[in-house]
Amino acid sequence: MDTQEFLPIEQHPWEPFIPDGARILIMGTFPPGSHRWSMDFYYPNPTNDFWKVMGLIFLHDPNALRDSTGKRFDMEACKSLMSEHHIALNDTARKVRRLKGNASDKFLEIVEPVPLYDLLAQMPDCHAVATTGEKAAGVISALTDTPLPKMGEVVESADGLKIYRMPSTSRAYPLALEKKAAYYADMFRQVEIL
């Protein structure tokens, strides 16, 4: 008997974040458990490097998007920065099972992927998707029938969608913050956001 079928299925907690004129969609796999959140928004874990990377690239300070306590991210500042630069956010999984009860992509079963093309239909100016890690890249590869890009590379789908695979922003991914930021900055230059 497969005990995985008895594990609870989690539904994604947030709507896609789609600012006016969104030009790129950045997609992780799925949020960590709510006990790890410092805000009710994408990349909520205060140890994740995503908002540090964004702060470093756009504000020249990895801690620019933290609140006054320095322990949490400032959700409104994060949303404002993404809106200002026309960056949409969502994740590649709509429903998952946590096979080990943690946030590791390695132990995440994707029960239902995001309806990618329905999502992109809401963003007429968006012709690029960037994934933050290998599992998210695999989901997008399967949804777009494209080869899995190597980390830092881009592939193009038959309909012209550019798909970038970025380094994971998890602290478990062994790459210095500045090097992660360099990959993301290069991608933003390619899509003419930087």
Side-chain angles (χ1 to χ4, degrees):
M1 178 190 287
D2 185 4
T3 57
Q4 291 180 7
E5 68 188 60
F6 297 108
L7 292 171
I9 293 175
E10 285 184 51
Q11 173 87 32
H12 199 287
W14 306 305
E15 291 295 314
F17 178 75
I18 305 174
D20 289 342
R23 304 205 15 227
I24 190 167
L25 171 61
I26 297 180
M27 305 185 83
T29 307
F30 199 80
S34 58
H35 65 288
R36 299 245 185 243
W37 298 0
S38 75
M39 63 177 172
D40 196 11
F41 191 57
Y42 292 89
Y43 302 97
N45 189 330
T47 66
N48 188 289
D49 285 337
F50 184 81
W51 295 113
K52 295 173 197 170
V53 165
M54 296 301 117
L56 196 55
I57 292 170
F58 294 111
L59 303 167
H60 312 291
D61 177 359
N63 295 308
L65 296 168
R66 291 197 179 271
D67 68 7
S68 58
T69 69
K71 294 179 181 167
R72 302 172 59 87
F73 294 115
D74 181 329
M75 184 171 73
E76 293 311 314
C78 294
K79 287 181 176 182
S80 177
L81 184 70
M82 296 296 94
S83 294
E84 178 185 345
H85 294 286
H86 311 287
I87 300 168
L89 300 172
N90 198 15
D91 287 315
T92 57
R94 185 177 263 179
K95 293 180 181 176
V96 300
R97 281 190 185 100
R98 295 186 198 276
L99 304 181
K100 299 280 185 188
N102 61 29
S104 172
D105 279 0
K106 186 177 178 181
F107 301 112
L108 206 58
E109 175 195 349
I110 296 178
V111 175
E112 182 184 323
V114 69
L116 179 65
Y117 285 101
D118 292 348
L119 188 58
L120 290 170
Q122 300 173 52
M123 298 178 266
D125 299 324
C126 181
H127 306 290
V129 170
T131 60
T132 60
E134 184 175 7
K135 186 149 195 141
V139 174
I140 296 303
S141 175
L143 292 174
T144 58
D145 195 28
T146 55
L148 182 70
K150 292 181 179 157
M151 202 275 290
E153 291 187 352
V154 60
V155 297
E156 194 166 322
S157 68
D159 56 0
L161 182 68
K162 290 189 184 320
I163 302 159
Y164 293 84
R165 179 174 163 193
M166 296 288 97
S168 171
T169 56
S170 166
R171 289 300 293 277
Y173 187 74
L175 190 65
L177 180 67
E178 293 75 13
K179 290 185 178 179
K180 289 181 185 182
Y183 277 104
Y184 283 82
D186 185 51
M187 174 193 66
F188 288 139
R189 280 190 286 272
Q190 290 180 45
V191 296
E192 300 180 352
I193 284 175
L194 258 185

